[in-house]
PDB file of all heavy atoms in Angstrom:
ATOM      1  N   ASN V   2       0.685   2.097  -0.950  1.00 54.00           N
ATOM      2  CA  ASN V   2       1.475   3.268  -0.902  1.00 54.00           C
ATOM      3  C   ASN V   2       0.934   4.396   0.116  1.00 54.00           C
ATOM      4  O   ASN V   2      -0.091   4.193   0.683  1.00 54.00           O
ATOM      5  CB  ASN V   2       1.543   3.972  -2.353  1.00 54.00           C
ATOM      6  CG  ASN V   2       0.200   4.462  -2.777  1.00 54.00           C
ATOM      7  OD1 ASN V   2      -0.552   4.915  -2.010  1.00 54.00           O
ATOM      8  ND2 ASN V   2      -0.002   4.515  -4.114  1.00 54.00           N
ATOM      9  N   LEU V  23     -23.589   8.705  15.368  1.00 45.00           N
ATOM     10  CA  LEU V  23     -24.884   7.989  15.441  1.00 45.00           C
ATOM     11  C   LEU V  23     -25.234   7.460  16.887  1.00 45.00           C
ATOM     12  O   LEU V  23     -26.356   7.623  17.382  1.00 45.00           O
ATOM     13  CB  LEU V  23     -24.809   6.740  14.387  1.00 45.00           C
ATOM     14  CG  LEU V  23     -25.165   6.983  13.086  1.00 45.00           C
ATOM     15  CD1 LEU V  23     -25.094   5.679  12.271  1.00 45.00           C
ATOM     16  CD2 LEU V  23     -26.562   7.494  13.020  1.00 45.00           C
ATOM     17  N   VAL V  30     -32.906  10.272  19.829  1.00 46.00           N
ATOM     18  CA  VAL V  30     -34.028  10.020  18.795  1.00 46.00           C
ATOM     19  C   VAL V  30     -35.015   9.110  19.380  1.00 46.00           C
ATOM     20  O   VAL V  30     -36.232   9.278  19.401  1.00 46.00           O
ATOM     21  CB  VAL V  30     -33.407   9.518  17.519  1.00 46.00           C
ATOM     22  CG1 VAL V  30     -34.608   9.111  16.628  1.00 46.00           C
ATOM     23  CG2 VAL V  30     -32.523  10.555  16.810  1.00 46.00           C
ATOM     24  N   ALA V  32     -35.484   8.336  22.540  1.00 60.00           N
ATOM     25  CA  ALA V  32     -36.124   8.932  23.651  1.00 60.00           C
ATOM     26  C   ALA V  32     -37.324   9.835  23.096  1.00 60.00           C
ATOM     27  O   ALA V  32     -38.377   9.751  23.746  1.00 60.00           O
ATOM     28  CB  ALA V  32     -35.164   9.749  24.463  1.00 60.00           C
ATOM     29  N   ILE V  43     -45.288  19.386  36.221  1.00 98.00           N
ATOM     30  CA  ILE V  43     -45.581  20.765  35.892  1.00 98.00           C
ATOM     31  C   ILE V  43     -45.455  21.516  37.171  1.00 98.00           C
ATOM     32  O   ILE V  43     -46.308  21.300  38.105  1.00 98.00           O
ATOM     33  CB  ILE V  43     -46.920  20.992  35.169  1.00 98.00           C
ATOM     34  CG1 ILE V  43     -47.034  20.268  33.829  1.00 98.00           C
ATOM     35  CG2 ILE V  43     -47.132  22.503  34.895  1.00 98.00           C
ATOM     36  CD1 ILE V  43     -48.249  20.419  33.023  1.00 98.00           C
ATOM     37  N   MET V  64     -54.543  16.261  29.388  1.00 98.00           N
ATOM     38  CA  MET V  64     -53.289  16.004  28.683  1.00 98.00           C
ATOM     39  C   MET V  64     -52.772  14.585  28.970  1.00 98.00           C
ATOM     40  O   MET V  64     -52.158  13.934  28.208  1.00 98.00           O
ATOM     41  CB  MET V  64     -52.198  16.942  29.037  1.00 98.00           C
ATOM     42  CG  MET V  64     -52.456  18.342  28.469  1.00 98.00           C
ATOM     43  SD  MET V  64     -51.220  19.495  29.147  1.00 98.00           S
ATOM     44  CE  MET V  64     -49.675  19.019  28.322  1.00 98.00           C
ATOM     45  N   THR V  84     -39.304  32.430  41.728  1.00 98.00           N
ATOM     46  CA  THR V  84     -38.457  31.374  42.332  1.00 98.00           C
ATOM     47  C   THR V  84     -38.666  30.121  41.528  1.00 98.00           C
ATOM     48  O   THR V  84     -37.664  29.384  41.079  1.00 98.00           O
ATOM     49  CB  THR V  84     -38.962  31.034  43.803  1.00 98.00           C
ATOM     50  OG1 THR V  84     -38.803  32.389  44.504  1.00 98.00           O
ATOM     51  CG2 THR V  84     -38.105  29.919  44.455  1.00 98.00           C
ATOM     52  N   ASP V  95     -35.513  17.904  29.224  1.00 97.00           N
ATOM     53  CA  ASP V  95     -35.875  16.600  28.562  1.00 97.00           C
ATOM     54  C   ASP V  95     -37.348  16.438  28.500  1.00 97.00           C
ATOM     55  O   ASP V  95     -37.905  15.302  28.239  1.00 97.00           O
ATOM     56  CB  ASP V  95     -35.302  15.457  29.431  1.00 97.00           C
ATOM     57  CG  ASP V  95     -35.668  15.510  30.912  1.00 97.00           C
ATOM     58  OD1 ASP V  95     -36.443  16.484  31.321  1.00 97.00           O
ATOM     59  OD2 ASP V  95     -35.222  14.624  31.679  1.00 97.00           O
ATOM     60  N   LEU V 131     -52.558  28.170  27.588  1.00 98.00           N
ATOM     61  CA  LEU V 131     -53.678  27.374  28.208  1.00 98.00           C
ATOM     62  C   LEU V 131     -54.925  28.166  28.140  1.00 98.00           C
ATOM     63  O   LEU V 131     -55.940  27.685  27.717  1.00 98.00           O
ATOM     64  CB  LEU V 131     -53.348  27.023  29.690  1.00 98.00           C
ATOM     65  CG  LEU V 131     -52.155  26.163  29.809  1.00 98.00           C
ATOM     66  CD1 LEU V 131     -51.930  25.865  31.392  1.00 98.00           C
ATOM     67  CD2 LEU V 131     -52.155  24.903  29.096  1.00 98.00           C
ATOM     68  N   ALA V 132     -54.871  29.363  28.666  1.00 98.00           N
ATOM     69  CA  ALA V 132     -56.123  30.211  28.754  1.00 98.00           C
ATOM     70  C   ALA V 132     -55.841  31.668  28.995  1.00 98.00           C
ATOM     71  O   ALA V 132     -54.856  32.018  29.736  1.00 98.00           O
ATOM     72  CB  ALA V 132     -56.965  29.736  29.895  1.00 98.00           C
ATOM     73  N   GLY V 133     -56.690  32.465  28.518  1.00 98.00           N
ATOM     74  CA  GLY V 133     -56.652  33.927  28.820  1.00 98.00           C
ATOM     75  C   GLY V 133     -57.518  34.166  30.052  1.00 98.00           C
ATOM     76  O   GLY V 133     -58.545  33.450  30.143  1.00 98.00           O
ATOM     77  N   PHE V 144     -66.941  46.036  51.930  1.00 98.00           N
ATOM     78  CA  PHE V 144     -66.280  47.301  51.516  1.00 98.00           C
ATOM     79  C   PHE V 144     -67.284  48.389  51.354  1.00 98.00           C
ATOM     80  O   PHE V 144     -68.258  48.205  50.541  1.00 98.00           O
ATOM     81  CB  PHE V 144     -65.402  47.060  50.302  1.00 98.00           C
ATOM     82  CG  PHE V 144     -64.266  48.049  50.120  1.00 98.00           C
ATOM     83  CD1 PHE V 144     -63.165  48.022  50.957  1.00 98.00           C
ATOM     84  CD2 PHE V 144     -64.456  49.123  49.149  1.00 98.00           C
ATOM     85  CE1 PHE V 144     -62.177  48.984  50.765  1.00 98.00           C
ATOM     86  CE2 PHE V 144     -63.469  50.074  48.974  1.00 98.00           C
ATOM     87  CZ  PHE V 144     -62.319  50.032  49.701  1.00 98.00           C
ATOM     88  N   ALA V 158     -59.795  58.748  49.140  1.00 97.00           N
ATOM     89  CA  ALA V 158     -59.782  59.379  50.414  1.00 97.00           C
ATOM     90  C   ALA V 158     -59.235  58.625  51.626  1.00 97.00           C
ATOM     91  O   ALA V 158     -58.892  59.211  52.667  1.00 97.00           O
ATOM     92  CB  ALA V 158     -61.341  59.648  50.753  1.00 97.00           C
ATOM     93  N   LEU V 181     -53.518  49.833  38.373  1.00 97.00           N
ATOM     94  CA  LEU V 181     -54.722  50.537  38.891  1.00 97.00           C
ATOM     95  C   LEU V 181     -54.384  51.592  39.943  1.00 97.00           C
ATOM     96  O   LEU V 181     -54.839  52.709  39.867  1.00 97.00           O
ATOM     97  CB  LEU V 181     -55.569  49.412  39.712  1.00 97.00           C
ATOM     98  CG  LEU V 181     -56.821  49.978  40.355  1.00 97.00           C
ATOM     99  CD1 LEU V 181     -57.928  50.513  39.340  1.00 97.00           C
ATOM    100  CD2 LEU V 181     -57.499  48.923  41.231  1.00 97.00           C
ATOM    101  N   ALA V 200     -54.713  34.492  49.116  1.00 98.00           N
ATOM    102  CA  ALA V 200     -55.092  35.946  49.198  1.00 98.00           C
ATOM    103  C   ALA V 200     -56.635  36.042  49.120  1.00 98.00           C
ATOM    104  O   ALA V 200     -57.190  36.877  49.822  1.00 98.00           O
ATOM    105  CB  ALA V 200     -54.358  36.734  48.015  1.00 98.00           C
ATOM    106  N   VAL V 209     -58.084  41.670  54.304  1.00 98.00           N
ATOM    107  CA  VAL V 209     -57.523  42.712  53.402  1.00 98.00           C
ATOM    108  C   VAL V 209     -58.798  43.406  52.722  1.00 98.00           C
ATOM    109  O   VAL V 209     -59.841  42.904  52.692  1.00 98.00           O
ATOM    110  CB  VAL V 209     -56.643  42.141  52.275  1.00 98.00           C
ATOM    111  CG1 VAL V 209     -55.314  41.755  52.945  1.00 98.00           C
ATOM    112  CG2 VAL V 209     -57.279  40.902  51.558  1.00 98.00           C
ATOM    113  N   PRO V 221     -66.320  31.872  41.582  1.00 98.00           N
ATOM    114  CA  PRO V 221     -67.134  31.205  42.574  1.00 98.00           C
ATOM    115  C   PRO V 221     -67.448  32.115  43.832  1.00 98.00           C
ATOM    116  O   PRO V 221     -68.616  32.331  44.237  1.00 98.00           O
ATOM    117  CB  PRO V 221     -66.234  30.023  43.054  1.00 98.00           C
ATOM    118  CG  PRO V 221     -65.413  29.855  41.825  1.00 98.00           C
ATOM    119  CD  PRO V 221     -65.148  31.105  41.227  1.00 98.00           C
ATOM    120  N   SER V 232     -65.615  45.712  38.787  1.00 98.00           N
ATOM    121  CA  SER V 232     -65.626  45.736  37.222  1.00 98.00           C
ATOM    122  C   SER V 232     -64.588  44.718  36.684  1.00 98.00           C
ATOM    123  O   SER V 232     -63.769  44.327  37.400  1.00 98.00           O
ATOM    124  CB  SER V 232     -65.429  47.050  36.666  1.00 98.00           C
ATOM    125  OG  SER V 232     -64.124  47.593  37.012  1.00 98.00           O
ATOM    126  N   GLU V 250     -67.642  50.715  31.131  1.00 98.00           N
ATOM    127  CA  GLU V 250     -69.058  51.133  31.556  1.00 98.00           C
ATOM    128  C   GLU V 250     -69.016  51.654  32.954  1.00 98.00           C
ATOM    129  O   GLU V 250     -69.811  52.461  33.313  1.00 98.00           O
ATOM    130  CB  GLU V 250     -69.809  49.680  31.656  1.00 98.00           C
ATOM    131  CG  GLU V 250     -70.145  49.108  30.256  1.00 98.00           C
ATOM    132  CD  GLU V 250     -70.711  47.763  30.413  1.00 98.00           C
ATOM    133  OE1 GLU V 250     -70.291  46.981  31.256  1.00 98.00           O
ATOM    134  OE2 GLU V 250     -71.528  47.381  29.549  1.00 98.00           O
ATOM    135  N   LEU V 253     -63.757  53.665  34.358  1.00 98.00           N
ATOM    136  CA  LEU V 253     -62.352  53.739  34.408  1.00 98.00           C
ATOM    137  C   LEU V 253     -61.723  52.982  33.098  1.00 98.00           C
ATOM    138  O   LEU V 253     -61.028  51.924  33.259  1.00 98.00           O
ATOM    139  CB  LEU V 253     -61.722  53.004  35.657  1.00 98.00           C
ATOM    140  CG  LEU V 253     -60.250  53.277  36.032  1.00 98.00           C
ATOM    141  CD1 LEU V 253     -59.924  54.657  36.277  1.00 98.00           C
ATOM    142  CD2 LEU V 253     -59.940  52.422  37.199  1.00 98.00           C
ATOM    143  N   TRP V 261     -52.757  35.732  31.194  1.00 98.00           N
ATOM    144  CA  TRP V 261     -52.830  34.462  30.534  1.00 98.00           C
ATOM    145  C   TRP V 261     -51.930  33.447  31.281  1.00 98.00           C
ATOM    146  O   TRP V 261     -51.002  33.843  32.004  1.00 98.00           O
ATOM    147  CB  TRP V 261     -52.460  34.716  29.115  1.00 98.00           C
ATOM    148  CG  TRP V 261     -51.136  35.549  28.957  1.00 98.00           C
ATOM    149  CD1 TRP V 261     -51.251  36.917  28.818  1.00 98.00           C
ATOM    150  CD2 TRP V 261     -49.765  35.154  29.072  1.00 98.00           C
ATOM    151  NE1 TRP V 261     -49.905  37.361  28.713  1.00 98.00           N
ATOM    152  CE2 TRP V 261     -49.080  36.302  28.996  1.00 98.00           C
ATOM    153  CE3 TRP V 261     -49.118  33.872  29.174  1.00 98.00           C
ATOM    154  CZ2 TRP V 261     -47.657  36.287  28.929  1.00 98.00           C
ATOM    155  CZ3 TRP V 261     -47.738  33.856  29.254  1.00 98.00           C
ATOM    156  CH2 TRP V 261     -46.942  35.018  29.154  1.00 98.00           C
ATOM    157  N   PRO V 273     -39.372  17.829  18.962  1.00 97.00           N
ATOM    158  CA  PRO V 273     -40.345  16.873  18.852  1.00 97.00           C
ATOM    159  C   PRO V 273     -41.180  16.734  20.218  1.00 97.00           C
ATOM    160  O   PRO V 273     -42.399  16.339  20.212  1.00 97.00           O
ATOM    161  CB  PRO V 273     -39.636  15.501  18.589  1.00 97.00           C
ATOM    162  CG  PRO V 273     -38.359  15.995  18.018  1.00 97.00           C
ATOM    163  CD  PRO V 273     -38.034  17.264  18.726  1.00 97.00           C
ATOM    164  N   GLU V 284     -55.438  19.404  22.164  1.00 98.00           N
ATOM    165  CA  GLU V 284     -56.421  18.320  22.279  1.00 98.00           C
ATOM    166  C   GLU V 284     -57.192  18.537  23.506  1.00 98.00           C
ATOM    167  O   GLU V 284     -58.459  18.477  23.487  1.00 98.00           O
ATOM    168  CB  GLU V 284     -55.800  16.890  22.331  1.00 98.00           C
ATOM    169  CG  GLU V 284     -56.569  15.912  21.640  1.00 98.00           C
ATOM    170  CD  GLU V 284     -55.844  14.530  21.520  1.00 98.00           C
ATOM    171  OE1 GLU V 284     -54.820  14.573  20.877  1.00 98.00           O
ATOM    172  OE2 GLU V 284     -56.308  13.545  22.173  1.00 98.00           O
ATOM    173  N   THR V 311     -45.077  29.223  18.340  1.00 98.00           N
ATOM    174  CA  THR V 311     -44.697  30.479  17.717  1.00 98.00           C
ATOM    175  C   THR V 311     -45.749  31.600  18.237  1.00 98.00           C
ATOM    176  O   THR V 311     -45.252  32.718  18.510  1.00 98.00           O
ATOM    177  CB  THR V 311     -44.833  30.356  16.204  1.00 98.00           C
ATOM    178  OG1 THR V 311     -44.251  29.192  15.829  1.00 98.00           O
ATOM    179  CG2 THR V 311     -44.105  31.488  15.506  1.00 98.00           C
ATOM    180  N   LEU V 316     -46.733  36.282  21.766  1.00 98.00           N
ATOM    181  CA  LEU V 316     -47.459  36.858  22.979  1.00 98.00           C
ATOM    182  C   LEU V 316     -46.477  37.373  24.049  1.00 98.00           C
ATOM    183  O   LEU V 316     -46.561  38.424  24.520  1.00 98.00           O
ATOM    184  CB  LEU V 316     -48.443  35.859  23.530  1.00 98.00           C
ATOM    185  CG  LEU V 316     -49.223  36.270  24.795  1.00 98.00           C
ATOM    186  CD1 LEU V 316     -50.192  37.398  24.437  1.00 98.00           C
ATOM    187  CD2 LEU V 316     -49.935  35.157  25.359  1.00 98.00           C
ATOM    188  N   THR V 318     -43.393  38.180  23.800  1.00 98.00           N
ATOM    189  CA  THR V 318     -42.648  39.296  23.304  1.00 98.00           C
ATOM    190  C   THR V 318     -43.521  40.586  23.405  1.00 98.00           C
ATOM    191  O   THR V 318     -43.080  41.649  24.012  1.00 98.00           O
ATOM    192  CB  THR V 318     -42.155  39.065  21.795  1.00 98.00           C
ATOM    193  OG1 THR V 318     -41.562  37.900  21.699  1.00 98.00           O
ATOM    194  CG2 THR V 318     -41.363  40.222  21.244  1.00 98.00           C
ATOM    195  N   SER V 319     -44.691  40.555  22.980  1.00 97.00           N
ATOM    196  CA  SER V 319     -45.548  41.745  23.087  1.00 97.00           C
ATOM    197  C   SER V 319     -45.936  42.128  24.438  1.00 97.00           C
ATOM    198  O   SER V 319     -46.020  43.286  24.797  1.00 97.00           O
ATOM    199  CB  SER V 319     -46.818  41.570  22.099  1.00 97.00           C
ATOM    200  OG  SER V 319     -47.661  40.654  22.757  1.00 97.00           O
ATOM    201  N   ALA V 322     -43.121  43.906  26.015  1.00 97.00           N
ATOM    202  CA  ALA V 322     -43.042  45.256  25.510  1.00 97.00           C
ATOM    203  C   ALA V 322     -44.153  46.071  26.116  1.00 97.00           C
ATOM    204  O   ALA V 322     -43.994  47.265  26.293  1.00 97.00           O
ATOM    205  CB  ALA V 322     -43.158  45.218  24.018  1.00 97.00           C
TER     206      ALA V 322
END
Side-chain angles (χ1 to χ4, degrees):
N2 65 30
L23 272 179
V30 172
I43 300 183
M64 288 171 73
T84 302
D95 57 2
L131 301 179
F144 197 77
L181 175 69
V209 286
S232 64
E250 291 169 327
L253 192 63
W261 44 268
E284 212 172 298
T311 316
L316 176 68
T318 308
S319 70

